[in-house]
Amino acid sequence: MIRRSLQDIIQTNFHKGKAVILYGARQCGKTTLTRMTVDASAENAVWVSGDDDTDVRMFSTVTKSVWSQILGSSKLVVIDEAQRIPGIGRAVKILTDSFPDVQAILTGSSSFLIANMTEEPLTGRKYEYRLYPFSFLELSGAVGFSDERKALQQRLLFGSYPEVVTKPDEAQSLLQLIADSYLYRDLFEYEGIRKPKLLKDLLRLLAYQTGSEVSTAELASSLSVSRGTVDSYLSLLEQSFIIFILNAYSTNKRNELKKAKKIYFCDNGIRNAVLGDFTPIGARKDIGALWENYLVSERIKYLSNKNALPANGTSTVSSYFWRTTDGMEIDYVEESAGSLSAYEFKWNPDKKCRVTTAFTNRYPDAAVSVVTPDTYQNFLGL
């Protein structure tokens, strides 16, 4: 088993009078992580699931006495796919108020659903964490950096979903299964998604534009829908851990783009599955986009796991890209505690590259770096 960075962090927050909520896309390992955490705690847990109709019905009239029957002598309850249980927020509030010594763990694949259900009832009563597919650091910790580096092209093509990593010979078929059968399940059942084909067409357009500035107006025109519909779908896709949205960095200096955005997939394999394109790296024309998507998604994973640590919980890092109206750009920019860092991503380490002076002249105090396959481990926290 590949150890997840969040395991120890979650376990240290057991029995503090708060529920633990673990968000993440379907098939990214939430249930496995929860089982590993429960096993490590050596506690007897009660498991219920939002995918089980009997369990869902059980929660329709939850009271303190019903919780007593569910729990028995257990001090730990796991509610898997909690977003599929109506009223789950109120039910868990009753649990935490009535049984402060019982630990509840909720997992959910749609933050827009579970957050809406739990926000008010569980205010001040929850710890929240985000789980992504395996991170570079988790994989390097399991197999060593040297072996993980050898797998870089595999990651660029097939990504890091747990089952894809552990069954590399079946990677393509597994990704197609995830993309076709699991990934959008909660979205398709959500009342705001009335046109599943539109969602898939939007994702294909986004996949083709990976690493490029995205115009929601142009997307709307291409799809023959309103801009508001596109904005709504993009928000839902982000809250379902399918995409990341980066906004443009600007301090209102002359000719900087202010309202532009770039969109990346949370996993390279899903991006390629959306396109149905697993052409080997040496024959691809989009290697720059694959490299950029990989680095941005891995950096977001690194920052998410790092900020989950209690010592770093108040640390805020904001991620952007930078571009001017005359085409000068920086692939990736971070702002933290008043400091600025800029990164250029280059797949070919032999190709001369530097951060544009258009940026360094405006922000002379910014730290600047070029990230290549020879140096990417530093950018990803190793």
Side-chain angles (χ1 to χ4, degrees), residues 191-243:
E191 62 179 351
I193 298 294
R194 298 183 177 89
K195 299 178 179 178
K197 183 178 183 302
L198 173 60
L199 184 72
K200 291 188 175 182
D201 289 344
L202 173 59
L203 278 170
R204 283 184 64 83
L205 289 178
L206 296 177
Y208 279 121
Q209 297 182 48
T210 302
S212 300
E213 181 190 343
V214 170
S215 165
T216 52
E218 290 179 4
L219 290 172
S221 177
S222 297
L223 296 167
S224 299
V225 297
S226 71
R227 184 172 179 176
T229 297
V230 170
D231 286 333
S232 176
Y233 277 35
L234 290 178
S235 177
L236 292 173
L237 286 167
E238 184 173 38
Q239 292 178 77
S240 296
F241 312 101
I242 297 172
I243 62 171

Side-chain angles (χ1 to χ4, degrees), residues 92-216:
V92 176
K93 179 181 183 297
I94 293 172
L95 173 67
T96 56
D97 289 350
S98 303
F99 303 92
D101 58 337
V102 172
Q103 178 62 54
I105 306 175
L106 287 70
T107 75
S109 51
S110 302
S111 66
F112 63 89
L113 287 176
I114 196 170
N116 289 342
M117 293 177 179
T118 62
E119 185 62 36
E120 184 175 345
L122 295 185
T123 298
R125 297 179 175 88
K126 60 183 176 179
Y127 295 110
E128 296 178 292
Y129 302 99
R130 293 189 174 192
L131 183 70
Y132 295 101
F134 287 141
S135 72
F136 164 80
L137 281 183
E138 288 169 337
L139 291 169
S140 294
V143 303
F145 169 61
S146 179
D147 283 351
E148 180 56 19
R149 185 172 188 167
K150 294 174 184 176
L152 178 57
Q153 292 193 18
Q154 178 84 358
R155 304 288 178 254
L156 295 180
L157 282 182
F158 300 109
S160 304
Y161 267 77
E163 195 171 14
V164 171
V165 168
T166 57
K167 299 178 181 177
D169 294 340
E170 303 174 39
Q172 185 170 333
S173 59
L174 287 169
L175 280 166
Q176 292 295 172
L177 179 63
I178 292 170
D180 293 340
S181 302
Y182 296 110
L183 199 62
Y184 321 119
R185 179 176 176 182
D186 298 301
L187 282 171
F188 288 166
E189 294 178 359
Y190 180 61
E191 62 179 351
I193 298 294
R194 298 183 177 89
K195 299 178 179 178
K197 183 178 183 302
L198 173 60
L199 184 72
K200 291 188 175 182
D201 289 344
L202 173 59
L203 278 170
R204 283 184 64 83
L205 289 178
L206 296 177
Y208 279 121
Q209 297 182 48
T210 302
S212 300
E213 181 190 343
V214 170
S215 165
T216 52

Side-chain angles (χ1 to χ4, degrees), residues 10 14 22 29-40 47 76-80 105-107 131:
I10 291 173
F14 275 10
L22 181 64
K30 299 185 301 299
T31 302
T32 300
L33 170 59
T34 303
R35 289 192 183 281
M36 292 171 69
T37 306
V38 169
D39 288 347
W47 287 76
L76 188 59
V77 59
V78 178
I79 307 170
D80 211 12
I105 306 175
L106 287 70
T107 75
L131 183 70

Side-chain angles (χ1 to χ4, degrees), residues 333-353:
V333 175
E334 283 183 353
E335 185 177 40
S336 177
S339 64
L340 203 61
S341 301
Y343 302 90
E344 275 293 296
F345 304 144
K346 286 297 175 185
W347 172 248
N348 185 351
D350 297 325
K351 187 175 180 180
K352 187 176 181 180
C353 175

Side-chain angles (χ1 to χ4, degrees), residues 302-322:
Y302 165 70
L303 293 174
S304 178
N305 289 334
K306 179 182 177 182
N307 288 340
L309 292 167
N312 299 313
T314 58
S315 172
T316 300
V317 178
S318 299
S319 301
Y320 306 92
F321 73 98
W322 181 86

